[in-house]
Amino acid sequence: MAARMDLDGRPIKPMTICMIGAGGFIGSHLCEKLMAETPHKVLALDVYNDKIKHLLEPDSLPWAGRIEFHRINIKHDSRLEGLIKMADLTINLAAICTPADYNTRPLDTIYSNFIDALPVVKYCSENNKRLIHFSTCEVYGKTIGSFLPKDSPLRKDPAYYVLKEDTSPCIFGSIEKQRWSYACAKQLIERLIYAEGAENGLDFTIVRPFNWIGPRMDFIPGIDGPSEGVPRVLACFSNNLLRREPLKLVDGGQSQRTFVYIKDAIEAVLLMIENPDRANGHIFNVGNPNNEVTVRQLAEMMTQVYTKVSGEPMLQSPSIDVSSKEF
């Protein structure tokens, strides 16, 4: 294998990466890429390893010895600091990030996204280890425009609905709207990491995924996951299509998404890993602004694709509107 070069033309030294949440959707794809394309070693930390089992067994795999699985719940495990110390870089992906949970499990959501991340940040800072922390596009909150009356001409003015990184005010829902527990916890940990960088010299990079999608992301209820529980939009719609039920559009399906395929998103993360001089101290929004759709458009697209692939006729009414409260 020829020596890999960074963006400044310097050879990349093999490193040891402590990846917390390696068994999740993003972590599993990142582990695959690191094993297939780089010489780096991964200490893979998670409570489950089903999504990376194919990388761990059998022992004859070409990367055997470069990935080690450690079954750890970072909430209460004394081994965490030792593993962070063994690595050059820590990547923290551990989080509850399923929207259906924010209202029903707000305490778990706040703990997993803020409290449980505190020791990770602390150990990286105290041991002079670099940290790549995964945040979310939800830290932006709502736009001013979302509060304007539906027919207001100001809704057409970009000043009211385009978020500007350094100047837009940050608007979250009220305290009893527990949907915002996730965004708020994520934003607070971002502020804490930034402050550790400013006060104590922590080398950090923050990544904000914008709607990354792909295999292993989610479950179809009752098929490859629990029969109760609400997955994210793609799995929700796939589930309805497979069961020949109309797709539920929450509040008319007007909210927007900018989907990015996981393999494309992971390219960006690998560049951050291997170019610390360029990435340290920065926050990267990783998304595709050219791929924006409303949820209603997504429903129409998925219905057409499914009809074509399955050969089944389209339902008389392929979608129905439901209120967010009902949903």
Side-chain angles (χ1 to χ4, degrees):
M1 202 192 250
R4 292 166 51 77
M5 299 292 187
D6 68 13
L7 292 173
D8 295 306
R10 292 173 301 213
I12 295 163
K13 290 192 190 81
M15 64 182 97
T16 299
I17 299 167
C18 173
M19 194 186 301
I20 302 165
F25 163 54
I26 296 173
S28 65
H29 287 277
L30 189 49
C31 284
E32 276 181 351
K33 191 166 184 73
L34 288 164
M35 292 304 106
E37 295 179 25
T38 79
H40 309 314
K41 181 176 177 178
V42 174
L43 308 174
L45 282 56
D46 213 317
V47 274
Y48 305 111
N49 65 5
D50 347 354
K51 293 180 181 179
I52 53 171
K53 241 187 165 58
H54 62 293
L55 298 174
L56 304 169
E57 298 160 5
D59 290 342
S60 55
L61 290 165
W63 49 77
R66 283 204 293 118
I67 181 165
E68 282 172 19
F69 179 67
H70 297 263
R71 195 176 299 280
I72 276 185
N73 183 335
I74 62 166
K75 270 185 194 331
H76 39 64
D77 201 302
S78 56
R79 292 172 293 170
L80 179 63
E81 184 171 16
L83 288 160
I84 287 174
K85 276 182 172 173
M86 282 165 65
D88 305 293
L89 160 69
T90 293
I91 299 177
N92 190 9
L93 288 149
I96 285 178
C97 49
T98 311
D101 290 332
Y102 307 158
N103 282 312
T104 53
R105 298 168 59 200
L107 279 176
D108 285 344
T109 300
I110 293 165
Y111 269 77
S112 85
N113 288 293
F114 181 68
I115 307 286
D116 299 347
L118 289 175
V120 177
V121 179
K122 180 171 172 264
Y123 297 148
C124 287
S125 187
E126 287 175 354
N127 295 292
N128 292 322
K129 299 293 183 180
R130 184 175 171 225
L131 171 66
I132 295 181
H133 186 84
F134 273 72
S135 183
T136 171
C137 54
E138 291 208 20
V139 295
Y140 287 105
K142 298 178 168 195
T143 58
I144 298 174
S146 66
F147 293 94
L148 293 167
K150 289 269 182 279
D151 50 3
S152 166
L154 289 175
R155 277 187 168 241
K156 298 270 184 287
D157 182 346
Y160 292 96
Y161 66 86
V162 174
L163 289 159
K164 293 225 169 21
E165 185 69 46
D166 304 319
T167 54
S168 292
C170 184
I171 306 168
F172 287 168
S174 60
I175 300 295
E176 72 259 21
K177 297 236 179 345
Q178 303 202 93
R179 170 74 183 75
W180 292 96
S181 55
Y182 173 70
C184 198
K186 280 289 199 193
Q187 198 196 72
L188 191 52
I189 198 74
E190 274 198 24
R191 290 184 184 273
L192 183 117
I193 291 167
Y194 197 93
E196 278 287 356
E199 279 191 41
N200 297 324
L202 172 68
D203 282 337
F204 72 87
T205 303
I206 290 169
V207 188
R208 295 187 191 131
F210 279 66
N211 308 119
W212 297 4
I213 57 166
R216 304 194 287 270
M217 174 186 184
D218 228 332
F219 63 94
I220 303 286
I223 297 178
D224 59 351
S227 49
E228 72 289 340
V230 181
R232 298 173 189 81
V233 66
L234 283 144
C236 261
F237 285 175
S238 301
N239 185 42
N240 294 129
L241 290 164
L242 288 166
R243 296 179 203 277
R244 311 253 331 126
E245 294 164 0
L247 278 50
K248 291 179 178 169
L249 299 180
V250 177
D251 297 334
Q254 287 312 296
S255 55
Q256 289 169 301
R257 300 284 182 275
T258 54
F259 293 111
V260 185
Y261 185 55
I262 184 68
K263 301 264 193 260
D264 297 334
I266 292 299
E267 289 280 337
V269 180
L270 187 59
L271 286 172
M272 294 172 214
I273 290 170
E274 296 192 325
N275 293 275
D277 294 352
R278 291 182 180 226
N280 283 347
H282 291 284
I283 301 175
F284 294 100
N285 293 331
V286 182
N288 182 353
N290 302 319
N291 204 20
E292 193 161 348
V293 287
T294 64
V295 171
R296 182 177 285 278
Q297 287 169 319
L298 174 72
E300 288 161 3
M301 207 185 295
M302 285 182 70
T303 303
Q304 282 164 3
V305 170
Y306 184 75
T307 306
K308 199 165 139 187
V309 169
S310 67
E312 294 173 4
M314 207 181 276
L315 293 179
Q316 201 81 51
S317 41
S319 64
I320 49 167
D321 287 3
V322 297
S323 72
S324 50
K325 191 168 181 163
E326 181 193 340
F327 187 74

